[in-house]
Amino acid sequence: MSAQEVSLLLQECLRKAVSGPQGDTQTLCRGSFPDELNLLLQEAADRKWPFVEEKWQYKQSVTSEDKINSSDLIREHLPQLLVFLRDSIAADEPKWAVAVVFLVDRLLYWMDGSHVLLKIAKTLHKRYPDVPIAPQVIIRQARVYLNTGKLQKAEFILSSLISNNAKTGSWTYQKASDQTLVQAVNLQVRGQVLQTLGLWLEAAELIWASLIGFYALPQPDKKGIGTSLGLLANILTSMNDRDFAALQKKPHIDLSFLGESGHRLLSAARAAKMAVVFSQYGSLYVLTNVVAQGICLLSYGFSKKCPLDDQQTFLAVAQEAFEIGLLTKTTRDVVTSKLELHTFLKAAYCLATTHRWMTGPSETINTAMSVCREAMTLFVDYCDRADSTLCSEIMAKIQQIKTLLKVETFCNSDPRSFIPDSYRSMDFGPVLFTLCDFTKVLDVFGKHHKSVCEAFENGVRDSCSSHSQCITAFQTDTKVLATVQKADHGVERISQISSKQNPSSSKSSSILVDQSCPTVDQQSSLGSYEVVSHSSASPSIPNIFGNNKDNQSQSQLNQQLTTTEDPEFNSLEISGTQWRDNQNNLEARTSSSSFSSGSSWERLSGRTQSGIETQEDVEDPSHDGNGAKGDCTKGGSTSSFSLCDSSASHSSWQKLSISPVANVEQLDLTHKNERTDQHLLVPNKTQECQGTTLPSTESDPFEELGFEDLSTPDNHQPSQSPFKEDNVPTCKDCFKNCIIGSDVLTECDYRSLLAGVCQRCLVERLPNKPLEPLEARQLKKAYDAIVLKYSKASDVWVGSETSIYIGETMKVQGQQRQAIKVQYLHQEQLLSSYVGKEYLKAKGLHAHLDDVERQMTAQYYVTEFNKRLYDNNVTTQIFFIPSEVLLVLEKDRIVTCLSAEPYMSGTFVKLTNNAKGTNTEHDATKYGIAFGHFTYEFSSHQEVVVDLQGWITANGKGLTYLTDPQIHSLLKTRSINIQQTGINSFIKHQHGDECNEICRAAGLKLIR
């Protein structure tokens, strides 16, 4: 059944659900279903399990009959099931309708159909609030929120289920162990949330906790164990060695369970191989995990820890892993899952690169790489149009690559299994995890999960009488959504849905809710997922500064918080903050009822960038007066990401590092107790700042002036800082025998980047000549690329080869940068949307490196700040969204450079700027000021992080996601860094003479 046919049936079901039963009763017939499917449907209706089970999932000894996957049975009869869903809704039989939703949920998620199916589930839940919705479907909502950038909402659902012992609505569990299972799955998904945020250590702890939960069940959940092991492998691959060492020291974690704990990448490869064995009867699980295993081995083969004589051995094992993945489907198999297609492409690309490293470049390998790029273009087209004919074309390309690279079948004595016999002979050590162990690890995270629930509960307009009965009542803005609006799938606008149980249910938003708990949800600026549909007119966007009715007063507030740009640009106007799909494409998707409209890129209806902007002039901000040179823009930004126009203000919170580079001093960020007094004096004497700045090639008055002359006066030198960056001698070992400054990458360059290079060597090696913005002919095209990920802990960049598709521009641009849709094979979350940022004017490549390095410093600080808050029983958490650098290549020549980061949905708020401005309308600003105070104290008065902006919960507590900070630093010259003057300005104008309650709660010392 094609994706279009599935979509049309889903749309028909949704229309029936919205309109309700028509009064004509009909007898439901399940006679056309085979007995096995009838039994499965009956068990779903009886709520026998919280997740649809596979027969092999809980059995230690598996028979041939157990190896038939439920998902395969559901896939085979999907058209009949959807017809039965439609008829159940029309016959006023919600029990059977909800049972079908439960059964097809996982399959449609793989097919990217959750967008419509969850609308059906929400509509049924409003009409029949007493009919329970399965935890699997509730958690699916969280997964979709994760994929569409709504991390706060995902966090709330997951934390609620964890902290409330898996209670949700009127669902009743058949046995107590089912609640443990649901909690373990929620820990697993929340680990993926933290993985998305680049919090590798914390993510690994959660995944480990989920492993304990799956093992602690009366019959261990092999599928759950395999999934968690695969996720752990990916996280360990991205983690730096410092975090890996910290993970090994955690008292509740014993990595010897993996059988390999000597090196991070080898532990990751072992975890991935174990995952393959545990999930050997599920083709997608095997494909996903063998690709993870191969990437771990490939990375280790190029690491500095791998003996040169062993490199070919590890590459050969990686090659075998990629081939096993490619053999999980034959030419006859139909593959429509976007996740599966993406992973097939990743396996094919990695196999081609592995062959090139093992045998050297050849015409055959070049052809295979070219076919990979063609397949990548087809895949992105499929994501946009959901044309099932493209699936066949993509798989034909995969088959062509398999033929070119001579992929042959392996020895497998079990026809139902997707792995070779050599994998099944893998030895597993004893596992001693118990339910008591799971309870203990839940307690470790209990404080955070409880705080997330409380933060959102406090923001709900109509509080719940019993929170355990409602897991999705939360608020991220002040606007209440109507239940149903004009849909992009053709659903008519209605103001309320009549309910047999609760006539007032129209007050609820379209999130799954309990009848006693109306939901307050945000009017998303991006046509958010939870909105059932959209009207053609742009919705009004709530003011991010709160319910201020006095427009003049609001304007004055914005004017006060506005700061100036450099002399070349006197005012900021983000003119393109309405981001919409191409109208023709939108009409085509609507008419064909494709899935893609709700699960990938979303339309933006918004206003202009927030009025609190970043100062880029050399005027001393410690002087009184506004100092604004440009006009203030008004209203809150509703951009899904920041394009704030500092000369290098780009989100970048980096991840991956491997072994430390020789001669690079490791950063010792131990908090110092000794302090020296700092006086708020404007420097009256200048001295040359040590170190080297990243040069800019853009002729800009601000950049030509620089800030080297704004160093600390001799009589006010701060205490010695743990940061030594500008005093560290340049390492000369990272790029041996490479051509410094060349825009062509040689084999030596690739080897160096894959092994890991220090910051200074990378800056010295890469060219910094102006890179022109991409032309129209260069867009909507696939390229080879190097993904560069940065670890502040080791000051090391690690590269990985990938294929990237650069799409169209988003019509969202700031003064210096614009946003482009990008998708690449090695992105952290395969189903998530990513944003690429490029400079509008010719800009040196080093600007992107500077963006990443600067935000990584802020990321390190915020991680330590969160620990300080947590230790002092303040459970609000602040995060910076991750970013990485993409070197886009054509025949090994760098053609451009982009910064990429996950797409974030929601209302964008600016809390502070880099001078005097603060947005006092949000409680989150207090945390931001306290964070700045913390960075000042933690760095021994050397640095302060400012210019805080991002996404917050409605009450300003709980979870805050930030991006694009600036740092005033005495340690190194940075873009928009006014050094001691900026530090003084923060202390005087933003922090003030007295600490706020968050500073005091965090145990920070009074600034004198």
Side-chain angles (χ1 to χ4, degrees):
M1 188 178 192
S2 70
Q4 290 94 330
E5 292 171 319
V6 171
S7 182
L8 288 172
L9 269 175
L10 281 173
Q11 293 301 325
E12 189 176 356
C13 293
L14 181 56
R15 284 191 290 272
K16 292 284 186 182
V18 171
S19 61
Q22 303 302 311
D24 52 333
T25 60
Q26 62 184 72
T27 302
L28 292 177
C29 179
R30 293 188 286 144
S32 61
F33 296 153
D35 292 342
E36 196 171 5
L37 184 58
N38 258 322
L39 177 61
L40 200 62
L41 187 59
Q42 184 66 56
E43 289 178 339
D46 294 340
R47 303 187 296 281
K48 184 177 179 180
W49 10 251
F51 300 94
V52 178
E53 296 179 354
E54 303 292 356
K55 291 183 179 180
W56 52 265
Q57 190 169 346
Y58 296 99
K59 293 184 178 181
Q60 297 304 309
S61 179
V62 180
T63 66
S64 59
E65 294 179 354
D66 297 328
K67 299 172 186 177
I68 300 175
N69 288 298
S70 300
S71 56
D72 294 333
L73 183 65
I74 294 168
R75 185 191 302 272
E76 182 181 353
H77 298 280
L78 182 60
Q80 297 98 305
L81 283 168
L82 292 181
V83 170
F84 185 74
L85 171 60
R86 179 198 63 196
D87 295 343
S88 299
I89 296 171
D92 201 16
E93 292 284 353
K95 173 183 175 181
W96 293 109
V98 169
V100 175
V101 169
F102 186 12
L103 279 188
V104 302
D105 162 68
R106 184 180 293 131
L107 176 61
L108 290 182
Y109 177 69
W110 292 341
M111 297 176 65
D112 202 33
S114 288
H115 175 59
V116 183
L117 187 68
L118 284 172
K119 288 180 182 179
I120 296 170
K122 294 168 187 176
T123 308
L124 290 172
H125 188 56
K126 289 176 186 297
R127 191 178 302 282
Y128 309 101
D130 287 342
V131 178
I133 302 294
Q136 174 180 307
V137 180
I138 302 293
I139 296 172
R140 185 72 59 209
Q141 176 76 85
R143 292 182 189 273
V144 173
Y145 280 155
L146 169 61
N147 294 338
T148 52
K150 302 176 180 68
L151 301 190
Q152 291 164 326
K153 299 181 179 184
E155 280 268 43
F156 177 70
I157 292 176
L158 300 169
S159 295
S160 297
L161 283 168
I162 294 169
S163 62
N164 290 302
N165 200 24
K167 293 179 181 177
T168 169
S170 55
W171 181 273
T172 55
Y173 292 96
Q174 300 291 325
K175 48 188 182 294
S177 59
D178 285 346
Q179 291 170 274
T180 299
L181 173 62
V182 171
Q183 287 177 304
V185 172
N186 279 276
L187 287 168
Q188 185 187 78
V189 180
R190 187 163 179 267
Q192 292 178 272
V193 173
L194 297 188
Q195 180 186 9
T196 301
L197 292 169
L199 292 168
W200 313 119
L201 179 59
E202 294 80 358
E205 287 189 80
L206 285 171
I207 296 300
W208 186 267
S210 73
L211 269 175
I212 296 176
F214 293 130
Y215 268 113
L217 296 172
Q219 292 294 328
D221 179 356
K222 293 195 290 187
K223 185 157 71 74
I225 292 169
T227 302
S228 286
L229 285 170
L231 291 170
L232 182 63
N234 288 323
I235 292 167
L236 292 179
T237 303
S238 296
M239 182 182 289
N240 61 58
D241 290 335
R242 178 175 174 173
D243 282 348
F244 181 67
L247 181 69
Q248 290 178 301
K249 294 177 182 177
K250 297 288 182 179
H252 56 284
I253 292 177
D254 181 9
L255 292 181
S256 63
F257 155 76
L258 300 176
E260 170 59 64
S261 57
H263 190 280
R264 173 177 52 85
L265 292 171
L266 293 180
S267 295
R270 173 77 177 184
K273 187 174 181 180
M274 291 172 66
V276 172
V277 178
F278 273 111
S279 55
Q280 60 180 291
Y281 302 110
S283 62
L284 177 56
Y285 298 109
V286 170
L287 169 64
T288 301
N289 292 320
V290 290
V291 170
Q293 180 198 6
I295 289 174
C296 295
L297 294 169
L298 195 60
S299 298
Y300 181 74
F302 287 102
S303 73
K304 293 180 172 66
K305 294 293 185 180
C306 178
L308 188 60
D309 293 341
D310 293 340
Q311 186 182 67
Q312 286 292 317
T313 300
F314 283 104
L315 293 182
V317 180
Q319 175 185 325
E320 179 191 28
F322 297 133
E323 290 177 345
I324 292 171
L326 290 173
L327 289 169
T328 55
K329 294 293 183 183
T330 67
T331 54
R332 299 184 302 275
D333 294 324
V334 177
V335 180
T336 58
S337 163
K338 292 181 182 179
L339 176 60
E340 196 164 10
L341 289 170
H342 188 286
T343 312
F344 267 116
L345 285 172
K346 194 173 183 178
Y349 183 87
C350 289
L351 180 62
T353 57
T354 303
H355 269 274
R356 189 189 65 207
W357 285 113
M358 293 183 67
T359 63
S362 68
E363 189 63 34
T364 298
I365 294 174
N366 289 340
T367 301
M369 299 284 282
S370 177
V371 175
C372 283
R373 292 191 293 272
E374 294 170 8
M376 185 70 175
T377 301
L378 290 171
F379 173 72
V380 174
D381 193 15
Y382 175 65
C383 291
D384 288 340
R385 297 195 289 122
D387 182 353
S388 58
T389 60
L390 294 172
C391 298
S392 301
E393 294 182 46
I394 295 168
M395 291 308 295
K397 297 290 185 184
I398 299 297
Q399 182 59 43
Q400 184 180 351
I401 295 168
K402 289 162 64 176
T403 301
L404 286 167
L405 301 180
K406 299 179 180 179
V407 176
E408 298 179 354
T409 58
F410 47 77
C411 181
N412 180 13
S413 59
D414 186 347
R416 293 286 187 182
S417 173
F418 293 93
I419 65 175
D421 291 338
S422 59
Y423 273 58
R424 272 191 293 278
S425 63
M426 182 180 186
D427 292 328
F428 292 92
V431 179
L432 303 176
F433 298 138
T434 66
L435 188 59
C436 182
D437 295 325
F438 186 62
T439 302
K440 289 178 181 179
V441 296
L442 281 179
D443 290 341
V444 172
F445 307 105
K447 189 162 56 175
H448 171 77
H449 295 141
K450 182 178 179 181
S451 73
V452 173
C453 300
E454 291 174 349
F456 281 108
E457 280 178 337
N458 293 335
V460 177
R461 182 185 59 186
D462 299 317
S463 61
C464 304
S465 57
S466 173
H467 179 70
S468 65
Q469 296 301 309
C470 176
I471 69 160
T472 51
F474 63 97
Q475 177 182 2
T476 54
D477 215 314
T478 57
K479 185 78 172 181
V480 181
L481 290 177
T483 301
V484 186
Q485 299 179 8
K486 182 65 179 178
D488 51 349
H489 292 283
V491 181
E492 295 182 356
R493 174 192 293 258
I494 59 177
S495 59
Q496 70 178 43
I497 299 176
S498 61
S499 172
K500 292 182 178 180
Q501 307 293 336
N502 183 10
S504 63
S505 63
S506 61
K507 295 180 181 178
S508 300
S509 76
S510 55
I511 296 176
L512 299 176
V513 295
D514 185 86
Q515 59 175 332
S516 62
C517 189
T519 300
V520 182
D521 207 340
Q522 77 174 34
Q523 177 73 37
S524 172
S525 59
L526 296 170
S528 67
Y529 175 84
E530 66 278 10
V531 181
V532 174
S533 51
H534 302 273
S535 64
S536 57
S538 300
S540 61
I541 304 300
N543 194 315
I544 64 165
F545 296 102
N547 297 321
N548 190 338
K549 298 180 180 179
D550 187 346
N551 293 333
Q552 183 177 1
S553 174
Q554 182 63 62
S555 177
Q556 291 172 352
L557 173 62
N558 285 345
Q559 181 65 39
Q560 177 185 356
L561 298 178
T562 302
T563 53
T564 60
E565 301 293 330
D566 59 76
E568 184 177 351
F569 305 106
N570 290 328
S571 65
L572 170 66
E573 194 74 25
I574 295 189
S575 59
T577 50
Q578 290 195 344
W579 167 20
R580 297 183 176 85
D581 287 9
N582 179 277
Q583 187 62 36
N584 293 333
N585 291 340
L586 175 60
E587 292 172 357
R589 284 204 302 271
T590 303
S591 61
S592 65
S593 303
S594 81
F595 294 153
S596 61
S597 58
S599 55
S600 183
W601 296 103
E602 300 174 275
R603 298 185 303 281
L604 179 106
S605 299
R607 294 179 182 172
T608 56
Q609 174 84 3
S610 171
I612 319 171
E613 298 305 341
T614 303
Q615 180 160 323
E616 292 195 12
D617 59 14
V618 295
E619 179 186 24
D620 177 16
S622 64
H623 289 310
D624 292 334
N626 189 351
K629 295 193 248 180
D631 297 333
C632 171
T633 57
K634 301 178 181 178
S637 168
T638 55
S639 171
S640 63
F641 46 86
S642 170
L643 285 170
C644 297
D645 294 297
S646 53
S647 64
S649 62
H650 173 68
S651 162
S652 49
W653 194 36
Q654 297 319 302
K655 316 154 188 173
L656 178 65
S657 77
I658 50 180
S659 55
V661 179
N663 299 326
V664 178
E665 181 175 348
Q666 297 298 307
L667 297 178
D668 178 14
L669 296 180
T670 305
H671 180 68
K672 295 186 179 297
N673 294 322
E674 296 183 3
R675 296 170 51 87
T676 57
D677 291 340
Q678 287 290 335
H679 301 286
L680 301 178
L681 297 178
V682 179
N684 53 19
K685 181 178 180 180
T686 62
Q687 64 182 25
E688 184 175 356
C689 180
Q690 295 180 348
T692 305
T693 61
L694 296 179
S696 170
T697 56
E698 182 174 349
S699 178
D700 183 301
F702 161 70
E703 292 177 348
E704 290 175 358
L705 284 172
F707 287 118
E708 294 84 6
D709 60 337
L710 293 180
S711 189
T712 309
D714 290 339
N715 59 335
H716 290 288
Q717 289 295 337
S719 61
Q720 188 69 20
S721 168
F723 289 96
K724 305 289 185 182
E725 298 172 26
D726 278 351
N727 297 319
V728 175
T730 302
C731 168
K732 300 295 184 182
D733 297 331
C734 295
F735 286 99
K736 288 182 178 179
N737 303 318
C738 298
I739 304 173
I740 301 301
S742 172
D743 60 357
V744 176
L745 300 182
T746 64
E747 178 182 338
C748 180
D749 290 312
Y750 280 103
R751 288 186 178 274
S752 297
L753 290 171
L754 297 179
V757 296
C758 71
Q759 162 82 3
R760 289 174 175 269
C761 283
L762 184 65
V763 169
E764 182 179 345
R765 166 60 189 89
L766 293 181
N768 200 34
K769 68 180 182 181
L771 293 173
E772 296 292 338
L774 291 169
E775 300 175 4
R777 62 179 177 82
Q778 295 174 295
L779 301 176
K780 300 182 181 180
K781 182 179 177 182
Y783 297 85
D784 292 325
I786 297 287
V787 184
L788 291 174
K789 301 182 180 182
Y790 181 66
S791 167
K792 184 66 176 178
S794 57
D795 196 36
V796 169
W797 295 79
V798 174
S800 58
E801 297 178 85
T802 193
S803 180
I804 179 176
Y805 180 87
I806 300 178
E808 60 188 358
T809 60
M810 296 178 180
K811 312 304 179 186
V812 179
Q813 68 179 46
Q815 187 175 296
Q816 297 210 28
R817 291 177 300 170
Q818 68 175 344
I820 303 175
K821 296 180 183 180
V822 297
Q823 190 158 9
Y824 50 107
L825 292 179
H826 289 69
Q827 62 192 44
E828 202 65 45
Q829 293 295 328
L830 301 188
L831 290 181
S832 296
S833 302
Y834 278 70
V835 175
K837 298 180 182 179
E838 75 163 354
Y839 284 93
L840 292 168
K841 296 166 62 176
K843 194 84 168 181
L845 183 152
H846 293 180
H848 291 285
L849 302 180
D850 191 32
D851 293 342
V852 169
E853 188 277 335
R854 182 184 62 253
Q855 187 156 341
M856 197 58 197
T857 300
Q859 174 266 336
Y860 185 90
Y861 280 134
V862 86
T863 302
E864 295 299 324
F865 180 60
N866 286 339
K867 293 176 184 176
R868 176 73 69 87
L869 290 178
Y870 200 81
D871 290 342
N872 287 277
N873 294 313
V874 180
T875 49
T876 292
Q877 298 282 283
I878 301 174
F879 305 109
F880 284 96
I881 59 174
S883 171
E884 47 209 20
V885 171
L886 294 168
L887 299 180
V888 182
L889 309 172
E890 279 187 338
K891 296 181 179 180
D892 299 323
R893 183 181 298 276
I894 301 172
V895 294
T896 193
C897 181
L898 299 174
S899 302
E901 64 185 41
Y903 163 84
M904 287 286 290
S905 175
T907 300
F908 187 87
V909 175
K910 188 145 187 173
L911 301 176
T912 68
N913 67 2
N914 65 332
K916 297 183 289 186
T918 58
N919 182 347
T920 58
E921 295 295 319
H922 295 281
D923 283 344
T925 303
K926 297 178 183 178
Y927 291 87
I929 297 299
F931 171 54
H933 182 174
F934 173 83
T935 61
Y936 175 70
E937 182 175 304
F938 195 80
S939 66
S940 299
H941 310 166
Q942 300 286 296
E943 294 191 317
V944 63
V945 179
V946 294
D947 211 9
L948 304 180
Q949 54 209 316
W951 301 264
I952 64 173
T953 48
N955 60 1
K957 301 177 182 179
L959 303 170
T960 298
Y961 302 94
L962 299 177
T963 184
D964 296 342
Q966 293 300 327
I967 301 178
H968 297 312
S969 175
L970 306 181
L971 300 169
K972 66 190 309 179
T973 51
R974 302 175 184 275
S975 301
I976 322 179
N977 168 24
I978 37 184
Q979 299 183 328
Q980 188 64 54
T981 300
I983 293 173
N984 290 349
S985 178
F986 164 79
I987 295 172
K988 180 177 181 180
H989 297 287
Q990 294 190 3
H991 183 277
D993 295 333
E994 299 294 331
C995 287
N996 64 31
E997 60 267 35
I998 310 304
C999 297
R1000 294 190 292 270
L1004 299 175
K1005 297 179 181 179
L1006 184 66
I1007 300 177
R1008 301 184 185 280

